[in-house]
Each structure stands twice: as structure tokens, then as C-alpha cells.
């Protein structure tokens, strides 16, 4: 018996943009050679599924679409989704094998070299590079909306003893409202994020909130709020401003990473895109993701001196030790992280312009050399990622390690906004994965007085052995 998936491959490929509407796909059969056949060997049931192509020669995908009929009782299991495309998107392309990263088709190397963060943020949102006039209008809009309301300032003060990631997540949540009544369109978050991130830094170190200086360009405005004294005095340094701008560009988007996927999941429920961004911020915090830059610095501190590197490399390889070399490895990049190459070159430039002799950079370099020659890391394709070097630059700029991930978010806001705008109002279904349930089968409720006698019901907590 044959089960055909509705919709021809032409239908689906023609509607290649994000937000295709499956309900409009007509029932046709026969996908020709651009298909796979799924066969249930228990029953002989077959389903023909179309293969959709990437516009860039990236991975093709099998379109599970509306797998139905005999296959209604079968789902796919892919923990962590390494084999699953969750959506269709036109924003960012990554080829992990070849180390390619492109925003709207433009290589990250060219953007980092020739563009600014404002231009890149415009590109990510609009799909095209701005003209001079368009860029000027966008920059003015970003300056005009840089202020945050008083309750956001109150939230920052109330949370001044928390990690800055908690502060900025809460402050962004305080801007959210019920969609679509929300007063903050998603792209205004690009304007407000520097005010929130910089003031999380100020307030957590005991300084007062500082209003954004709208006469300064975007990245300088951010650094001014970070480092100006209470009277607003700040000596800007073009090398640092440019380095920070590049860090923002390099972190601006990374397709369906954990935090962007989280934001897309939240917005798929119909929630305000602003609160979806706050959820993305929380997902970014973890040390396996955006929190790795802070973890790298803590690790370099712990290593302390070059001669202790072999000890830590051995620990990273020991399966009984949970220690990992932070800043190494990536779910997608399996040869090199193109952002790491760019930022590594930049770290040298910034440190020499600041006349900083950082022992940590020497340890980082040596660690990289040793790990790159080690069979364990070679076999698993573990290379330094962007976070391995960004912390060195941020430290040279006088940011404490707990500000590294908020600064990552400051760049990532451009991508998060582009993804929110791609999804809002489009008919992507609510994100709701299935699960493979392997818990207890149905059983009847056991009254309290019978539970001591029931087999398997007496669970003794480790810290209460007296309950045996
Ligand atoms: N140090 C030591 N071993 C590692 C490391 C590491 N940093 N990363 C992966 N491995 C090993 C794993 O132990 C595993 O070994 P095994 O096959 O013998 O069991 C193998 O490499 C594959 O590891 P996974 O965790 O399955 O790989 P995955 O692609 O799921 O994880 C991740 C990628 C989370 C980035 C991982 O490499 C890691 O934890 N790295 C350190 C944290 C880090 O730098 N994160 C930043 C990523 S970039 C970003 O999000 C901006």
C-alpha cells in the first residue's frame, strides 16, 4: 500500500520563502527523482516524500510535511535536532564543513572587513544593503528609540546583584506586552539593547543609570554608556570602537542556533516578539552556547600558566571528568569557525594598540596549538570557536567576564529581530515536537495507606537514609 505526501516538489520549492502555508498545498502524487521513499518494513506501507533543495547548495531536506495515513502512528526521533531543519529561512547560510557563514548571501569576512554593525543589522532585517540615505534614516531611528522606560530602569536596579544576563533578560521582559498591543516593535530592540546591556554593567558595578547620548554613533554610544564617568566624561578610542563593532557583526546571526530557535519557538505561540527575544537571551546564557566566552576566560584563569596546559588537555579527554575545553567545538562547524579566524587576527591588533601584554593570550595560543595536534581533538573535529578569542579582546577592553555573554547578545539582537520579523504573521505552525514516551504504562492510583506495601513505591532519598 502506498501513502503519498500531499503537494508536489514544484509547489514546495516555488514557495521557498519562510512561512509557507501547508494548508494551501494541493494533494498531488509523484515527486519524480527528487524524493525519498519511506518504507515501513513491518507492514510494507510506503510514503514518497519530496526532497527540497537549499538555494546555496547546502543540505537538501526531506519534507516530512503532512506525513499521514499509515504513517500517522510514526514520528521521527532526533534529540538535539542535529538532523532536523525546523523551518525555512532566508536570512543566514552556514556550511559547517567548509567554514562558510553568509548573512543574506554576503560572506562574513567581507561584512566584518567592509561593513558596520548598523549596516549589517539593516541587511539582516531588510535583506539588502542600505543606500546611504536608508542607512542614515535607520541610524536616526536607532538613536530616537534608544531610551528605555522608567520601569525597565527599576528592574535593572532591583536586580543589581544578579548576573548581568539575568538583568538584561528581565529588563527586556519588562518591555514586553500582550501581542499585538505591545508598544515596542521588534526592531526597536536593536535601539534599546545597548542602553540595557551597558546599564546592566554600570548598575551591577554600583554606578548610576546613564541615558543614551543620541549624538554619538551606535557602537560608540554603547561604549560611552559602559565606561563614561557619572558626569558623562569618556575618551573614545577608534580602535576599540571598531573592534566592538566587529564583535557585534560577527555575533549578529547564526541561523537556527539554540537561542534563536528558542525565540522562534516562543513567538510561534503568538507571544510578543519582545518576550520571545527575552527567552532567546536566557537560552544564550548557557556555557555550551553564548556563555562559552565567559567560561573560556574562567578556564584560562584556572589553567594559570602555560606549563599546566597538558594537565587540562588530559582532563578534557578523560570521559570520567566532566571538564571540556571551553571555546572548542561547535555543533555546525567541523573544520573551522570563520568568525574565530577573523577575531583571532583582531585580538592581536587590539592588544598591541592597547599595549596589553596578556598572559592569557599566550595560554590561549599554546592551548590551541596543542589541541589542534592532538588525535582526540582531530578525530572529533574540535576547533576553536568564536568564543575562544572574543573574551581576550573584551578583557583587554576592561570588561569583566560576566559581561562577555551580554555583549554577545548585544550583537545577536540584530539576528533575533530579523528572525522575529521573518516569523511574525507567517503561518509557521506552533512549535510542538513529539516525544518517544518510555515511562510507566497506565496503572491505577494507589491510596496513601497502601503505598508502603506496593512494590517499587518506596523511594528513599539519598539524604534521608533513616526512611528505609
Ligand atoms: N572538549 C572536549 N571534548 C569535547 C568538546 C570540548 N570542548 N566538545 C565536544 N567534545 C567531545 C565530546 O565529549 C564527544 O566525545 P565522544 O564522541 O567521545 O563522546 C564529541 O566531542 C562530540 O561532542 P558533542 O557534545 O556530542 O558535540 P555537539 O556538536 O553536540 O556539541 C558543543 C557542540 C556543545 C559546542 C561542544 O563542542 C562543547 O560543549 N564545546 C565547549 C563549549 C563551547 O565552546 N560552546 C560554544 C559554542 S559556539 C556558540 O554557541 C557561540
Amino acid at each position: 500500500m502506498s501513502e503519498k505526501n500531499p503537494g508536489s516538489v514544484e509547489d514546495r520549492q516555488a514557495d521557498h520563502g519562510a512561512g509557507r502555508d501547508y494548508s494551501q498545498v494541493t494533494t498531488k502524487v509523484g515527486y519524480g527523482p527528487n524524493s525519498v521513499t519511506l518504507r515501513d518494513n513491518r507492514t510494507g506501507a510506503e510514503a514518497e516524500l519530496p526532497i527540497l533543495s537549499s538555494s546555496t547548495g547546502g543540505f537538501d531536506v526531506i519534507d516530512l510535511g503532512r506525513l499521514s495515513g499509515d504513517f500517522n502512528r510514526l514520528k521521527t526521533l532526533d534529540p538535539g535536532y542535529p538532523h532536523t531543519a525546523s523551518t525555512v529561512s532566508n536570512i543566514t547560510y552556514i556550511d559547517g564543513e567548509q567554514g562558510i557563514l553568509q548573512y543574506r548571501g554576503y560572506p562574513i569576512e567581507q561584512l566584518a572587513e567592509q561593513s558596520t554593525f548598523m549596516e549589517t543589522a539593516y541587511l539582516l532585517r531588510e535583506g539588502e544593503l542600505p543606500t546611504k540615505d536608508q542607512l542614515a534614516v535607520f541610524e536616526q531611528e536607532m538613536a530616537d528609540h534608544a531610551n528605555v522606560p522608567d520601569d525597565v530602569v527599576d528592574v535593572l536596579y532591583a536586580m543589581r546583584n544578579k548576573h548581568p544576563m539575568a538583568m538584561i533578560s528581565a529588563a527586556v521582559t519588562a518591555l514586553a506586552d500582550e501581542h499585538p498591543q505591545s508598544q515596542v516593535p521588534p526592531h526597536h530592540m536593536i535601539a534599546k539593547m545597548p542602553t540595557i546591556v551597558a546599564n546592566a554593567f554600570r548598575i551591577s558595578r554600583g554606578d548610576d543609570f546613564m541615558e543614551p547620548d543620541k549624538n554619538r554613533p551606535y557602537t560608540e554610544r554603547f561604549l560611552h554608556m559602559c565606561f563614561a564617568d557619572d558626569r558623562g566624561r569618556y575618551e573614545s578610542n577608534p580602535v576599540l570602537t571598531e573592534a566592538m563593532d566587529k564583535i557585534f557583526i560577527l555575533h549578529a546571526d547564526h541561523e537556527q542556533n539554540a537561542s534563536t530557535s528558542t525565540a522562534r519557538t516562543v513567538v510561534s505561540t503568538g507571544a510578543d516578539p519582545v518576550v520571545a527575544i527575552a527567552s532567546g537571551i536566557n537560552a544564550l546564557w548557557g556555557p555550551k552556547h553564548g556563555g562559552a566566552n565567559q567560561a573560556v576566560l574562567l578556564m584560562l584563569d584556572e589553567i594559570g600558566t602555560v606549563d599546566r596546559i597538558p594537565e587540562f588537555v588530559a582532563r578534557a579527554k578523560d570521559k570520567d571528568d566532566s571538564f571540556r575545553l571551553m571555546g572548542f567545538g561547535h555543533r555546525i562547524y567541523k573544520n573551522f569557525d570563520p568568525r574565530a579566524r577573523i577575531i583571532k587576527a583582531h585580538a592581536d591588533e587590539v592588544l598591541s594598540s592597547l599595549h596589553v601584554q596578556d598572559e592569557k593570550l599566550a595560554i590561549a595560543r599554546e592551548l590551541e596549538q596543542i589541541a589542534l595536534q592532538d588525535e582526540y581533538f582531530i578525530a572529533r573535529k574540535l576547533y576553536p570557536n568564536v568564543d575562544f578569542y572574543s573574551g581576550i579582546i573584551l578583557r583587554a577592553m576592561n570588561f569583566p567576564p560576566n559581561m562577555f555573554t551580554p555583549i554577545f547578545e548585544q550583537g545577536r539582537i540584530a539576528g533575533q529581530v530579523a528572525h522575529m520579523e521573518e516569523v511574525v504573521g507567517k503561518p509557521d505552525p506552533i512549535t510542538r515536537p513529539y516525544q518517544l514516551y518510555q515511562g510507566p504504562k497506565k496503572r491505577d492510583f494507589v491510596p496513601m495507606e497502601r503505598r508502603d506495601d506496593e512494590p517499587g513505591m518506596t523511594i528513599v532519598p539519598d539524604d534521608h537514609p533513616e526512611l528505609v
Side-chain angles (χ1 to χ4, degrees):
M1 183 180 161
S2 176
E3 171 61 35
K4 307 288 186 187
N5 197 54
S8 73
V9 71
E10 289 78 18
D11 285 341
R12 292 181 179 236
Q13 291 199 333
D15 187 13
H16 212 276
R20 64 206 158 141
D21 182 355
Y22 284 120
S23 67
Q24 299 304 310
V25 176
T26 54
T27 303
K28 291 180 197 165
V29 292
Y31 301 118
N34 281 332
S35 64
V36 294
T37 301
L38 189 64
R39 181 184 161 82
D40 184 339
N41 291 326
R42 300 167 306 179
T43 62
E46 286 186 353
E48 192 183 340
L49 299 169
I51 296 175
L52 305 186
S53 303
S54 152
S55 60
T56 49
F59 291 117
D60 291 343
V61 301
I62 299 167
D63 186 352
L64 292 180
R66 289 188 292 180
L67 196 56
S68 60
D70 291 330
F71 286 88
N72 255 342
R73 301 294 308 158
L74 273 182
K75 303 286 177 193
T76 53
L77 178 65
D78 186 20
Y81 308 139
H83 306 288
T84 298
S86 62
T87 190
V88 179
S89 178
N90 297 343
I91 300 171
T92 289
Y93 172 64
I94 300 175
D95 180 328
E97 292 296 327
Q98 296 188 55
I100 292 173
L101 169 61
Q102 296 166 353
Y103 299 159
R104 301 283 189 182
Y106 293 102
I108 190 66
E109 293 81 2
Q110 293 179 21
L111 290 168
E113 183 67 29
Q114 299 173 50
S115 178
T116 62
F117 179 65
M118 277 289 88
E119 221 181 354
T120 299
Y122 183 99
L123 169 71
L124 283 167
R125 282 192 68 214
E126 303 287 351
E128 298 297 336
L129 289 167
T131 63
K132 202 173 169 191
D133 288 349
Q134 287 168 331
L135 182 61
V137 169
F138 182 57
E139 287 179 331
Q140 189 58 51
E141 191 182 6
M142 293 300 101
D144 290 345
H145 293 280
N147 288 93
V148 294
D150 289 346
D151 49 2
V152 169
V153 180
D154 292 344
V155 167
L156 289 173
Y157 275 111
M159 295 186 69
R160 63 183 168 276
N161 295 322
K162 302 285 182 189
H163 190 287
M165 281 300 277
M167 296 173 77
I168 66 170
S169 155
V172 172
T173 302
L175 283 167
D177 213 328
E178 194 174 351
H179 186 63
Q181 279 86 39
S182 176
Q183 300 301 303
V184 182
H187 74 285
H188 285 183
M189 290 310 302
I190 302 173
K192 296 186 189 310
M193 194 57 86
T195 310
I196 292 172
V197 173
N199 277 293
F201 180 33
R202 290 188 76 83
I203 291 171
S204 65
R205 66 174 189 243
D207 285 338
D208 283 335
F209 181 86
M210 175 159 284
E211 294 290 346
D213 179 349
K214 297 179 178 182
N215 294 317
R216 292 175 190 266
Y218 186 89
T219 299
E220 198 188 300
R221 184 158 66 238
F222 170 69
L223 288 170
H224 175 257
M225 284 183 282
C226 285
F227 293 116
D229 65 20
D230 282 346
R231 291 163 67 188
R233 289 175 302 201
Y234 166 73
E235 200 175 320
S236 83
N237 175 339
V239 176
L240 297 195
T241 309
E242 199 193 327
M244 185 55 82
D245 205 67
K246 283 202 197 319
I247 286 176
F248 292 164
I249 294 172
L250 294 178
H251 289 89
D253 195 39
H254 220 227
E255 50 121 296
Q256 307 305 322
N257 59 85
S259 71
T260 301
S261 301
T262 300
R264 284 181 83 124
T265 295
V266 173
V267 91
S268 83
T269 69
D272 183 0
V274 175
V275 84
I277 288 170
S279 310
I281 291 170
N282 290 327
L284 190 74
W285 192 355
K288 287 186 176 179
H289 191 17
N293 49 16
Q294 173 177 350
V296 169
L297 245 285
L298 299 179
M299 176 188 76
L300 295 178
D301 277 340
E302 200 186 341
I303 296 175
T305 48
V306 170
D307 59 302
R308 294 189 65 207
I309 292 175
E311 178 195 326
F312 282 84
V313 171
R315 281 187 60 195
K317 290 161 34 177
D318 181 354
K319 291 293 160 204
D320 294 329
D321 190 329
S322 60
F323 175 77
R324 284 187 167 195
L325 279 194
M326 299 316 288
F328 274 76
H330 198 277
R331 169 58 67 77
I332 305 288
Y333 294 122
K334 297 300 178 194
N335 274 315
F336 66 93
D337 177 342
R339 304 165 303 171
R341 281 195 172 169
I342 298 167
I343 209 161
K344 181 181 171 183
H346 224 65
D348 292 331
E349 208 178 295
V350 171
L351 264 58
S352 68
S353 100
L354 288 174
H355 308 293
V356 171
Q357 298 284 341
D358 193 343
E359 166 77 5
K360 297 291 171 297
L361 191 61
I363 298 173
R365 285 218 179 91
E366 185 68 14
L367 187 60
E368 181 185 5
Q369 286 315 311
I370 292 176
L372 289 180
Q373 290 160 20
D374 190 297
E375 192 46 41
Y376 174 95
F377 292 89
I378 295 169
R380 289 166 183 77
K381 301 192 169 186
L382 300 170
Y383 298 85
N385 55 51
V386 65
D387 293 321
F388 192 66
Y389 282 102
S390 61
I392 304 274
I393 298 184
L394 295 174
R395 199 170 110 110
M397 290 180 176
N398 274 331
F399 284 104
N402 68 2
M403 278 303 296
F404 297 176
T405 316
I407 289 168
F408 183 154
E409 169 56 30
Q410 164 57 58
R412 183 53 56 86
I413 187 64
Q416 288 167 335
V417 164
H419 284 271
M420 294 302 91
E421 292 182 337
E422 187 172 73
V423 165
V424 169
K426 304 272 175 59
D428 250 3
I430 183 171
T431 304
R432 202 318 185 173
Y434 203 75
Q435 64 169 11
L436 173 61
Y437 176 73
Q438 292 189 327
K441 291 194 170 63
K442 177 185 173 288
R443 48 188 175 162
D444 289 327
F445 184 79
V446 181
M448 184 69 77
E449 57 278 13
R450 278 187 24 222
R451 287 182 201 166
D452 282 346
D453 306 329
E454 196 74 12
M457 292 262 342
T458 317
I459 299 164
V460 181
D462 286 347
D463 49 347
H464 289 283
E466 75 281 3
L467 293 179
V468 175

